[in-house]
């Protein structure tokens, strides 16, 4: 068994170009795996940041809501019903949206 491993080691190390290409390929593959893992982790933490930063124990939403960003306003009587449940400290409507940039630009000098 050691004879075969010795021959394989000599074949790999004696050809410097092949050995360098192998090391570069393995290094690049490991870099890509770490990069994609960190990218997935960042996307996941950014997507869940809205829910985690608010810190509510229970969310009452319209059944048609797919994401937190697409909010469908609920009627006031639903909010009153939620507030009347024993143990609920407070209940408020939540609006989650992005601000719109201003259409005005800075004045230019002529």
């Amino acid at each position: 068994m050691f004879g075969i491993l010795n021959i394989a080691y000599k074949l790999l190390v004696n050809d410097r170009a092949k050995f360098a290409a192998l090391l570069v390929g393995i290094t690049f593959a490991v870099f890509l795996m770490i990069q994609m893992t960190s990218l997935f982790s960042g996307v996941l933490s950014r997507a869940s940041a809205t829910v985690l930063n608010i810190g509510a124990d229970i969310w009452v939403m319209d059944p048609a809501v797919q994401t937190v960003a697409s909010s469908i306003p609920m009627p006031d009587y639903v909010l009153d019903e939620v507030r009347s449940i024993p143990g609920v400290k407070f209940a408020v409507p939540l609006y989650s949206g992005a601000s719109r940039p201003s259409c005005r630009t800075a004045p230019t000098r002529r």
Side-chain angles (χ1 to χ4, degrees):
M1 183 69 177
F2 290 109
I4 295 173
L5 291 178
N6 194 17
I7 292 172
Y9 178 75
K10 285 181 182 179
L11 284 173
L12 182 63
V13 176
N14 285 341
D15 190 0
R16 290 185 185 263
K18 189 187 296 184
F19 187 64
L22 179 71
L23 286 180
V24 168
I26 290 173
T27 304
F28 187 65
V30 169
F31 169 74
L32 285 179
M33 287 188 284
I34 292 172
Q35 176 71 19
M36 289 299 115
T37 305
S38 63
L39 183 70
F40 174 71
S41 174
V43 167
L44 196 62
S45 67
R46 184 161 171 92
S48 63
T50 304
V51 175
L52 295 177
N53 289 338
I54 290 175
D57 292 333
I58 258 183
W59 290 62
V60 179
M61 301 179 114
D62 190 280
V65 171
Q66 298 278 330
T67 65
V68 179
S70 65
S71 59
I72 298 173
M74 295 184 74
D76 289 335
Y77 68 88
V78 175
L79 184 61
D80 294 335
E81 185 70 29
V82 171
R83 286 180 179 158
S84 68
I85 297 173
V88 174
K89 293 179 184 175
F90 68 96
V92 293
L94 171 70
Y95 174 74
S96 175
S99 63
R100 293 179 49 196
S102 176
C103 295
R104 294 182 285 168
T105 58
T108 58
R109 294 184 183 169
R110 290 185 182 214

